[in-house]
Amino acid sequence: QVQLVESGGGLVQPGGSLRLSCAASGSIFNLDRMGWFRQAPGKQRELVARITKSGSTNYADSVKGRFTISRDNAKNSVYLQMNSLKPEDTAVYYCNADQWGRSSWGQGTQVTVSS
């Protein structure tokens, strides 16, 4: 079982920045894709960004050019640098990691973009 713990959420003004972090622990043998999803009130959970073990990335169109995903394989961690934040980025952000075809989720961290 893989446990994921997110940190770094909070309240930020439009145009501001936040950096989310997620650390994996537990039975880690070969983490494959790691990523971030988000869920706003009344909406479905959606992919924000993903990164493979080799560093290949993909992003939702809504965050391209503003968000950057990265990972540290030695620390079993994944990060999301969020710049130029907009009110529509407000959501609970969830860390996700795949290992041997099984997907694990963090508990989520709230990001609120408001003046």
Side-chain angles (χ1 to χ4, degrees):
Q1 188 80 358
V2 175
Q3 291 83 44
L4 301 173
V5 178
E6 303 104 333
S7 61
L11 173 64
V12 63
Q13 292 187 341
S17 298
L18 280 176
R19 178 178 165 87
L20 304 183
S21 299
C22 172
S25 62
S27 300
I28 296 172
F29 300 100
N30 185 28
L31 288 176
D32 188 13
R33 291 183 307 182
M34 299 185 77
W36 293 93
F37 288 69
R38 66 186 181 187
Q39 188 167 18
K43 294 188 176 181
Q44 288 190 328
R45 190 173 296 189
E46 63 176 2
L47 172 69
V48 176
R50 256 181 172 158
I51 184 168
T52 67
K53 191 172 184 178
S54 61
S56 296
T57 59
N58 66 289
Y59 295 90
D61 287 343
S62 59
V63 307
K64 283 181 181 177
R66 300 189 297 122
F67 291 10
T68 302
I69 189 170
S70 60
R71 69 188 280 174
D72 185 332
N73 292 328
K75 295 182 179 179
N76 295 316
S77 295
V78 63
Y79 311 96
L80 187 67
Q81 178 65 44
M82 304 185 293
N83 299 328
S84 302
L85 282 160
K86 304 175 181 180
E88 51 263 43
D89 294 317
T90 295
V92 178
Y93 284 69
Y94 295 91
C95 179
N96 171 264
D98 294 337
Q99 178 169 263
W100 293 341
R102 299 188 70 175
S103 198
S104 299
W105 295 89
Q107 81 287 352
T109 185
Q110 177 70 45
V111 171
T112 302
V113 185
S114 175
S115 56

